[in-house]
Amino acid sequence: DHTTHPFLINNEWLESKTGETVPIHSPDNGVQVGQVPAMSREEVNQAVNLAADVQENWAATEVHERSDLLHRWADELDQVADKIGAMIQKEVGKTFASAKSEVKRTAQLIRHTAEEGLRTHGSFIQGDAFPGASRSTKAMVQKVPHGVILAISPFNYPVNLAASKIAPALVTGNTVVFKPATQGAVSGLMMIDALVKAGLPKGVLNVVTGRGSVIGDYVVTHPKLDMITFTGGTATGQHIAKKASMIPVVLELGGKDPAIVLEDADLKKAAKEIVSGAFSYSGQRCTAIKRVMVTEQAADELVEKIREHVAALSVGYSTEEVDIIPMIDQKSADYVTGLIEDAVKKGATIVHEGQNDQNLLSPVVLDHVTEDMEIAWEEQFGPVLPIMRVANELEAVDLEKRNAYGLQASIFTKDMEKAFTLAERMNVGTVQINGKTSRGPDHFPFLGVKNSGQGVQGIGRSIDSMLRDKVIVLNL
Ligand code: G3H
């Protein structure tokens, strides 16, 4: 399919004057499923300028109207959940069931954002708390939008992780320049079509598509941007943070989330949670469990239970509604294979493996992974789970302290006192006690420290991040 899916500027669907396009290939079979315009810098400039031109008017719109737009958008999305789900499946190789549930989750997220947006407010401060001032000096602290927000979303949730930026930006009176990941861009454009049908005013959201090498740095350094919110790989996020200057940048990047399992844990539950946390969408989630640290006493039993669950995972193509689907592209699959080879060469044992077919990798469980192996530290973003055996929880804490990432961590134990003590020591955004690592529920704060990001998302916090204080002082 060589259909070109146009971008949106000023509520017009356009193709690039360059005539150039970027193809999108299905991870399932490599077949082309569409293409998006490769926009020029001039066209990107127009998209940003228009968003800047209309921003003041949009901010002046009453917040209940902006909130209503989001409610209508959620309703439109619900109606086309099957259609968008089918496109997500084609573009990024999710099964239809999980693709459709991504769209449904997004409609719920947008509704919740619409409600939360109504409840944002500033504060009122009396001056007499500081010597020299008196109560005749009063500050009204209002919450105002930053202006134009660039939202860049990744391939793994092309609809949900885009809307989780766009919805809070719109309800707070910011305008948006949306740059979807190329793989997933068509699903993202379909989601924006639903927003247009819901009544998006002209210019309030414009889309840019194309080659990162041509427009990437140009768009992130555009002088009319007031904020960037990005989800994607750590290297790209760090690059954006260096390029952007004097504007807030919210980043949600990679992770190397550990599951720490102590000997008193419910091992049956731990194994189930770990396998679903590590292998859903073939491990292509920032919040996937990416290494297990288990105390020696519990290790044999846990490994056997994990093996049983992994052996039961079905492997195939997204059209077959299986558990393990092909990785997004061959390069990512080769990277994972390289990590496995390095670990095996250095003495890791393979507990479970299967047949591979190009970018379709069967799930692999590696036991006896040690610190000298790359997979002990590198983010695999694929269907392989390394298990590290530790003498006790202190060794696990020590390993985690040296993690370059700091997104989430899971702790499995029945001893709540111990769980809380360990949780206090984890330098991560979120600690899950007796559950797998995961972003949701979507109104919880979601953040990563160290190489996992900066700033905080989750519905309420995303809204906060898109507003700033504006102080008006009354001198009576
Ligand atoms: O890939 C990063 C996502 O934010 C993870 O979201 O935990 O809902 O899969 P999830």
Side-chain angles (χ1 to χ4, degrees):
D1 184 340
H2 286 67
T3 309
T4 302
H5 297 268
F7 55 86
L8 183 83
I9 290 188
N10 215 21
N11 280 8
E12 280 179 59
W13 295 100
L14 303 167
E15 290 195 18
S16 173
K17 292 204 177 77
T18 63
E20 286 175 32
T21 54
V22 191
I24 299 163
H25 298 280
S26 158
D28 263 8
N29 47 22
V31 163
Q32 188 167 334
V33 293
Q35 52 194 18
V36 287
M39 288 168 71
S40 66
R41 290 180 177 182
E42 189 43 49
E43 288 162 335
V44 171
N45 186 37
Q46 202 195 346
V48 182
N49 278 332
L50 262 163
D53 289 348
V54 301
Q55 196 271 325
E56 213 179 309
N57 269 344
W58 178 237
T61 312
E62 288 176 359
V63 63
H64 69 86
E65 282 181 35
R66 300 197 300 259
S67 174
D68 282 349
L69 171 68
L70 295 196
H71 280 292
R72 293 194 301 273
W73 183 21
D75 293 346
E76 290 285 341
L77 273 184
D78 269 336
Q79 282 179 31
V80 288
D82 281 348
K83 220 170 116 196
I84 300 185
M87 182 48 79
I88 294 176
Q89 185 195 338
K90 278 192 199 171
E91 280 191 289
V92 305
K94 269 185 201 190
T95 61
F96 177 72
S98 63
K100 183 172 173 180
S101 88
E102 177 180 338
V103 183
K104 290 281 183 188
R105 174 183 178 180
T106 304
Q108 285 161 347
L109 180 148
I110 293 170
R111 284 192 189 100
H112 200 108
T113 308
E115 288 170 25
E116 204 67 21
L118 293 176
R119 309 196 208 301
T120 54
H121 51 77
S123 56
F124 185 86
I125 310 175
Q126 301 278 20
D128 61 342
F130 201 85
S134 76
R135 227 177 290 175
S136 59
T137 304
K138 302 169 189 296
M140 282 174 280
V141 187
Q142 300 179 53
K143 291 289 177 188
V144 296
H146 291 298
V148 181
I149 299 183
L150 172 64
I152 310 177
S153 57
F155 77 82
N156 63 348
Y157 285 94
V159 166
N160 187 273
L161 285 175
S164 67
K165 301 172 188 314
I166 294 168
L170 293 181
V171 83
T172 48
N174 291 281
T175 55
V176 178
V177 176
F178 169 41
K179 161 82 179 72
T182 298
Q183 217 155 346
V186 181
S187 313
L189 288 161
M190 288 167 79
M191 172 188 71
I192 299 304
D193 184 45
L195 176 59
V196 174
K197 291 199 170 103
L200 175 77
K202 282 183 179 179
V204 166
L205 178 141
N206 301 306
V207 182
V208 304
T209 59
R211 293 201 171 81
S213 56
V214 178
I215 58 167
D217 283 357
Y218 178 79
V219 70
V220 300
T221 55
H222 197 289
K224 291 207 175 154
L225 289 186
D226 300 293
M227 176 181 175
I228 299 175
T229 170
F230 168 84
T231 298
T234 295
T236 313
Q238 286 170 333
H239 179 78
I240 290 173
K242 282 198 191 104
K243 285 272 163 193
S245 133
M246 298 285 290
I247 55 171
V249 178
V250 170
L251 302 170
E252 197 244 297
L253 311 176
K256 185 71 181 172
D257 295 358
I260 298 171
V261 186
L262 307 186
E263 57 273 14
D264 72 336
D266 175 345
L267 295 182
K268 198 172 156 208
K269 182 180 183 202
K272 193 164 170 255
E273 289 285 308
I274 287 170
V275 171
S276 118
F279 292 100
S280 67
Y281 192 41
S282 289
Q284 299 175 111
R285 295 164 50 238
C286 58
T287 48
I289 288 178
K290 300 208 175 91
R291 57 177 178 172
V292 174
M293 300 173 196
V294 55
T295 54
E296 272 295 351
Q297 281 166 277
D300 286 345
E301 196 182 333
L302 181 77
V303 170
E304 175 51 23
K305 286 187 160 51
I306 287 178
R307 191 198 61 73
E308 283 168 17
H309 280 290
V310 174
L313 295 174
S314 52
V315 181
Y317 294 90
S318 69
T319 44
E320 299 167 332
E321 284 300 329
V322 286
D323 299 310
I324 300 291
I325 44 78
M327 289 191 64
I328 191 73
D329 55 32
Q330 191 61 46
K331 193 170 149 228
S332 310
D334 290 345
Y335 178 68
V336 171
T337 312
L339 289 177
I340 296 169
E341 282 167 5
D342 171 76
V344 170
K345 201 168 67 200
K346 291 174 181 160
T349 43
I350 294 184
V351 179
H352 178 89
E353 68 176 336
Q355 291 291 313
N356 294 336
D357 181 12
Q358 296 180 31
N359 60 329
L360 175 55
L361 303 187
S362 284
V364 171
V365 179
L366 293 171
D367 195 2
H368 301 286
V369 167
T370 49
E371 288 185 31
D372 55 325
M373 301 172 190
E374 286 169 22
I375 200 158
W377 307 103
E378 300 297 325
E379 182 182 31
Q380 61 268 41
F381 222 71
V384 50
L385 181 63
I387 298 175
M388 306 179 80
R389 293 170 175 237
V390 291
N392 50 46
E393 67 258 30
L394 294 180
E395 208 179 305
V397 170
D398 173 61
L399 270 174
E400 179 49 26
K401 289 252 178 250
R402 288 181 283 134
N403 190 349
Y405 295 95
L407 192 59
Q408 299 203 350
S410 286
I411 296 169
F412 291 93
T413 174
K414 286 187 189 131
D415 183 340
M416 278 303 126
E417 213 165 308
K418 208 176 245 182
F420 275 89
T421 309
L422 283 178
E424 296 284 348
R425 300 198 60 194
M426 297 284 123
N427 191 12
V428 296
T430 303
V431 178
Q432 305 271 355
I433 296 174
N434 293 326
K436 64 189 169 196
T437 46
S438 107
R439 171 169 47 122
D442 292 344
H443 64 304
F444 285 5
F446 180 55
L447 70 153
V449 296
K450 300 195 268 186
N451 284 353
S452 292
Q454 66 181 23
V456 189
Q457 295 186 89
I459 293 169
R461 296 292 198 278
S462 292
I463 286 175
D464 291 346
S465 77
M466 290 171 177
L467 292 166
R468 66 171 172 83
D469 287 345
K470 166 82 175 281
V471 188
I472 297 180
V473 179
L474 189 60
N475 295 285
L476 293 175

